[in-house]
Amino acid sequence: MKRGKFIVFEGIDGSGKTTHAALLKKRLEEMGERVFMTAEPSEGEAGKLLRRCLKREIELSEEAIAGLFMTDRLDHIKNPTDGILSHLEKGETVLCDRYYFSSFAYNGSYAPLDWVKAINALPRALLRPDLTLFMDIPPESFLSRIEKRSEKERYEKLEVLKRVRENYFAAFEAFPDEKVTVIDNTAPLDLAAENVYLAVKPLFEAR
Ligand code: TYD
């Protein structure tokens, strides 16, 4: 049995990762591929704890949060019942909404970036994506979704998203051996979906 392909979607908040992952799943299934969709934070125990942190129900240090994202990732990769590797080994294509580049882009702003990179060498040694798709939108376009917030909050959110987007591009440069394709997601939905498909197609032709 040939191992399946591991494809990751990345992007700032509201960049359309989830929509495009679902569209790609449908298209690959029409080609006869078996596809498993997943996301980080995962549905596992560490992922549940992370969601509580993100909702501010519990408070952890930024280092502990970055460490927990890494721990969640290790479990997401290796969990014996539903881990990514178990699906890849069955020949399934795995589409994952966020992976270690999210840690570099988000957590690297709050905990030291070199340290975030160092701890993520563990999951990176276990499983690298066959392709990372970065769904690119201008941070300003996210703001229309939060019109009701105050000017101050909108400004702060914009500054954060700009920094996250810059961090992504810096991380792509810092890891030139990673396969990354940037998709312009300001394009109409059909066109962006076609560009996603064209980017992943060579992975399936080689088999
Ligand atoms: P997600 O559920 O993808 O939110 P959205 O669909 O709104 O993009 O991600 C939740 C948050 O977790 C998001 O703000 C990014 C953050 N995150 C990290 O800070 N580090 C990580 O390693 C991952 C995977 C996510």
Side-chain angles (χ1 to χ4, degrees), residues 96-116:
C96 187
D97 192 332
R98 298 194 181 280
Y99 196 55
Y100 44 64
F101 276 109
S102 282
S103 283
F104 307 145
Y106 287 82
N107 310 110
S109 290
Y110 303 102
L113 178 59
D114 283 348
W115 181 84
V116 176

Side-chain angles (χ1 to χ4, degrees), residues 35-138:
V35 182
F36 176 71
M37 276 246 271
T38 187
E40 291 189 1
S42 79
E43 297 295 323
E45 293 305 319
K48 284 182 198 156
L49 206 53
L50 277 166
R51 282 177 214 285
R52 293 186 62 202
C53 285
L54 293 172
K55 283 193 265 173
R56 304 197 185 227
E57 286 173 13
I58 49 174
E59 200 185 322
L60 294 180
S61 71
E62 293 299 341
E63 283 78 3
I65 292 173
L68 203 51
F69 271 113
M70 183 275 291
T71 303
D72 181 42
R73 189 158 296 132
L74 291 178
D75 184 49
H76 194 202
I77 296 168
K78 295 212 77 172
N79 192 286
T81 50
D82 212 19
I84 298 172
L85 284 176
S86 74
H87 287 277
L88 294 175
E89 276 152 19
K90 284 188 267 181
E92 295 171 21
T93 298
V94 176
L95 304 182
C96 187
D97 192 332
R98 298 194 181 280
Y99 196 55
Y100 44 64
F101 276 109
S102 282
S103 283
F104 307 145
Y106 287 82
N107 310 110
S109 290
Y110 303 102
L113 178 59
D114 283 348
W115 181 84
V116 176
K117 284 182 181 163
I119 59 173
N120 275 283
L122 301 173
R124 202 163 167 262
L126 288 176
L127 179 64
R128 287 194 199 182
D130 292 295
L131 181 64
T132 297
L133 294 160
F134 180 73
M135 306 309 295
D136 196 21
I137 57 159

